[in-house]
Structure formats: C-alpha cells, structure tokens
Amino acid sequence: MKAVIGVIIIFLLAMTVGGGISAMFFTSIVGGGVSESYLYPIYGGIVLLAGLIAICTAVILEKIKELMDSLNKNEKEDLNK
C-alpha cells in the first residue's frame, strides 16, 4: 500500500510541479509544438498507470510467495506429526 501511495504522490508532484519541465522534456524528445501539447498529460497518465501496474504486480507476487511459504511450512509440520 505504501508503494501505491508513493507512486500517486510522485505522479501528483510530476504533474503539478514538474508539469512545465516535463512538457519541455517531452517536446525535446518527442517533438511537436502547441498543437501536440495536449497529449503530454496523457503520456504522464500512461506512465502513472504503468507504474501502478508494475508495483501492484510486485506486491501481489510477494503476497503469493508468502502464502506459498506458509502453506509449505504447514504441510511440512503436518508430515512430521
């Protein structure tokens, strides 16, 4: 949960404080001018969604590993009885 909140905070900072900087950054890399500038927030949203998907996937995999370890530990204890 901390990771998801962190990504959201970084996204909000990037969209508010770094909005002008990111617009210049995207303009220098992607190109375009004023007519394409409306796409830059969409790029930021795509970056946010990709970050959230990656972090949520990592959290889910960690929970699955913990569950599997717990089940394996319980299974070994049952076999030893």
Side-chain angles (χ1 to χ4, degrees):
M1 188 64 180
K2 291 179 185 178
V4 172
I5 293 172
V7 168
I8 292 172
I9 290 172
I10 290 172
F11 171 75
L12 290 174
L13 287 174
M15 288 294 113
T16 57
V17 176
I21 296 170
S22 66
M24 289 184 286
F25 178 73
F26 280 129
T27 303
S28 65
I29 290 178
V30 178
V34 176
S35 61
E36 287 85 14
S37 64
Y38 66 92
L39 293 173
Y40 299 143
I42 295 171
Y43 295 153
I46 291 170
V47 169
L48 171 69
L49 289 176
L52 284 174
I53 289 170
I55 289 173
C56 290
T57 301
V59 169
I60 290 170
L61 286 175
E62 183 68 29
K63 295 294 181 182
I64 290 172
K65 281 184 181 180
E66 289 175 9
L67 179 63
M68 292 299 292
D69 290 341
S70 174
L71 289 174
N72 287 337
K73 181 180 176 185
N74 289 339
E75 190 175 289
K76 287 180 183 178
E77 288 177 359
D78 289 341
L79 290 175
N80 290 334
K81 289 183 181 182

